[in-house]
Amino acid sequence: MLKFFYILLLVNFGRCSDHQIFDAKNVAVGQNVTLNCSRDHRWLLTNLFWIRLVSQSFPEVLGSTISHNLNISPTIEKTHHITTKQEPGTFVLHINRAQLSDTAVYYCIKVRERKMTFLKGTFLRVKGPDPGITGVTQDFLSNPVHPGDPVTLQCSVLSNSENRTCTEDDRVYWYRAKPDESHPSLIYSQGHNSYDCEWSPEAPSQQKCVYSFSRNVSLSDTGTYYCAVATCGEILFGNGTKLDIKVPVVHHWDLQKTNTVVFLLCVALSINLIVIAFLIYTIKEKNKTSAAFSVQTNTETTREEQQIQQRHEDSLAYAAPTFTKRNTRKAERRNARATEKICIYSDVRASECGKSDA
């Protein structure tokens, strides 16, 4: 990666000089670093620059000066804990107490008449305490995995206590890389208390710590899982565990039986619906017939009552008392009583008429 950026800068900014120098330097965290770039006073109208190039970042200008000597005070520029200044015959870059983030490529560049030339390049690597980790391995899954199954992924971290100069606790992160994603995604992190460690009986200084990650998987969990161990300023990745989730295969015979059962259920449901509709229709018709019969019965009853009432009215007789007087002779009057005809109601439907002797 660093060589790629180096070649890229050469292509973009110009051709190297015959005296171009590129070297590498390893230092420990907290150590002071000094980088020198030759400065020729005969270079008129020439500027010198110190730049820093970090992977996936734009070049950063740390300081600049002129190449020839002038009777003025030297230019001193400071960026964070990095200082650049002009000294006799050289342009100096000084890093005070180097940090892990200072790991980068440092270039000294000469610019003259819009032409850029690389004079010196240094790959500076700042190393932290040795974590003593000798390997990170992951176990493969031997059994097939189906949706809903519980799955446990394991990550084993091997370390050597004799080489370990770092007291920082390890942290393990789990990443998942999907085929349709360009970058892995973080899905889980574990602290230093969630692991099981054991010492090797053959080598007492060898230690093996096992980190586990469990979950019930679904189809969306398909991918490759990586465990990353972060300790002492370094990140170590495992070899990855591929998780393929298989959908249970439905055989043709099972599918045919399923289709048959579904068909029979649909037929039974249709028959039930027809029977229910027929029963509803029958009940409605029966209710209509009962209602018509009840109406007819009520009508006939009303007619019969009216006829009976009419017959009763026709049989009623209305009469008044009638008195009949008969003129007789005096002689007969002495011998016989005059008779009177009297009608008396005996019933509201019939009447009797009788004779009464006057």
Side-chain angles (χ1 to χ4, degrees):
M1 180 64 70
L2 294 175
K3 291 183 179 179
F4 170 76
F5 282 108
Y6 173 65
I7 296 173
L8 181 63
L9 285 176
L10 293 182
V11 173
N12 290 342
F13 296 122
R15 183 169 55 90
C16 297
S17 68
D18 296 337
H19 304 287
Q20 190 269 343
I21 300 174
F22 188 88
D23 59 4
K25 181 177 291 189
N26 296 326
V27 297
V29 172
Q31 184 177 346
N32 295 332
V33 179
T34 300
L35 302 178
N36 296 311
C37 178
S38 299
R39 183 174 59 87
D40 193 339
H41 64 276
R42 295 172 297 179
W43 294 341
L44 300 177
L45 302 177
T46 302
N47 294 325
L48 297 178
F49 296 88
W50 271 110
I51 67 171
R52 176 168 64 177
L53 182 62
V54 181
S55 177
Q56 298 182 353
S57 299
F58 287 101
E60 179 183 5
V61 178
L62 302 176
S64 62
T65 187
I66 57 177
S67 61
H68 59 279
N69 294 323
L70 293 177
N71 295 325
I72 57 176
S73 59
T75 301
I76 298 177
E77 297 185 16
K78 186 174 183 180
T79 303
H80 304 297
H81 58 291
I82 300 177
T83 305
T84 60
K85 66 178 180 178
Q86 185 186 81
E87 293 184 357
T90 184
F91 183 37
V92 180
L93 181 144
H94 180 74
I95 301 176
N96 184 33
R97 298 181 62 83
Q99 304 172 5
L100 290 174
S101 59
D102 293 326
T103 299
V105 176
Y106 295 82
Y107 286 106
C108 178
I109 300 176
K110 179 181 72 172
V111 179
R112 180 181 182 184
E113 296 179 355
R114 298 182 180 180
K115 182 180 180 182
M116 183 177 295
T117 305
F118 289 85
L119 300 179
K120 183 178 182 180
T122 301
F123 172 50
L124 178 65
R125 182 182 180 185
V126 182
K127 298 181 61 177
D130 189 356
I133 295 178
T134 59
V136 179
T137 59
Q138 294 181 236
D139 297 334
F140 294 96
L141 298 177
S142 57
N143 297 326
V145 180
H146 301 91
D149 291 347
V151 175
T152 300
L153 303 179
Q154 290 187 345
C155 175
S156 301
V157 180
L158 303 177
S159 60
N160 191 335
S161 60
E162 293 180 353
N163 299 333
R164 187 179 182 92
T165 60
C166 174
T167 59
E168 181 181 345
D169 294 326
D170 301 342
R171 292 192 64 88
V172 173
Y173 301 89
W174 289 92
Y175 291 85
R176 180 181 60 196
K178 286 188 174 183
D180 55 348
E181 294 181 355
S182 57
H183 299 287
S185 57
L186 177 65
I187 59 174
Y188 187 67
S189 62
Q190 292 180 272
H192 60 278
N193 293 325
S194 56
Y195 60 87
D196 183 20
C197 295
E198 60 181 9
W199 297 95
S200 174
E202 293 82 8
S205 61
Q206 297 290 331
Q207 185 184 28
K208 179 181 179 181
C209 297
V210 179
Y211 297 83
S212 300
F213 168 61
S214 302
R215 71 187 310 172
N216 293 331
V217 297
S218 61
L219 289 177
S220 60
D221 294 324
T222 300
T224 304
Y225 290 77
Y226 297 91
C227 76
V229 182
T231 181
C232 303
E234 295 186 6
I235 299 179
L236 303 175
F237 284 87
N239 52 337
T241 301
K242 190 174 183 180
L243 181 61
D244 289 329
I245 302 175
K246 298 182 178 179
V247 180
V249 179
V250 179
H251 298 286
H252 178 71
W253 173 247
D254 296 337
L255 182 61
Q256 185 176 2
K257 290 194 297 183
T258 303
N259 293 336
T260 303
V261 172
V262 172
F263 175 75
L264 294 177
L265 290 177
C266 291
V267 172
L269 180 61
S270 301
I271 295 174
N272 289 334
L273 292 177
I274 294 174
V275 172
I276 292 173
F278 176 76
L279 292 177
I280 293 175
Y281 174 77
T282 303
I283 293 172
K284 286 186 177 181
E285 292 297 325
K286 185 176 180 181
N287 290 338
K288 289 182 180 179
T289 304
S290 299
F293 178 77
S294 178
V295 172
Q296 183 178 0
T297 304
N298 293 335
T299 303
E300 292 178 355
T301 303
T302 303
R303 288 179 180 177
E304 290 179 359
E305 290 179 354
Q306 289 179 354
Q307 291 177 359
I308 294 172
Q309 185 177 0
Q310 186 66 32
R311 287 197 302 266
H312 288 174
E313 290 179 354
D314 294 340
S315 64
L316 291 176
Y318 299 92
T322 303
F323 301 92
T324 304
K325 293 183 180 182
R326 184 178 300 174
N327 293 328
T328 62
R329 296 176 181 171
K330 294 181 181 182
E332 293 175 356
R333 218 182 304 173
R334 290 190 299 268
N335 300 324
R337 295 179 179 176
T339 61
E340 295 179 354
K341 187 177 180 179
I342 302 174
C343 295
I344 300 174
Y345 293 104
S346 62
D347 195 0
V348 294
R349 294 186 179 85
S351 61
E352 289 184 357
C353 293
K355 294 182 181 181
S356 175
D357 293 337

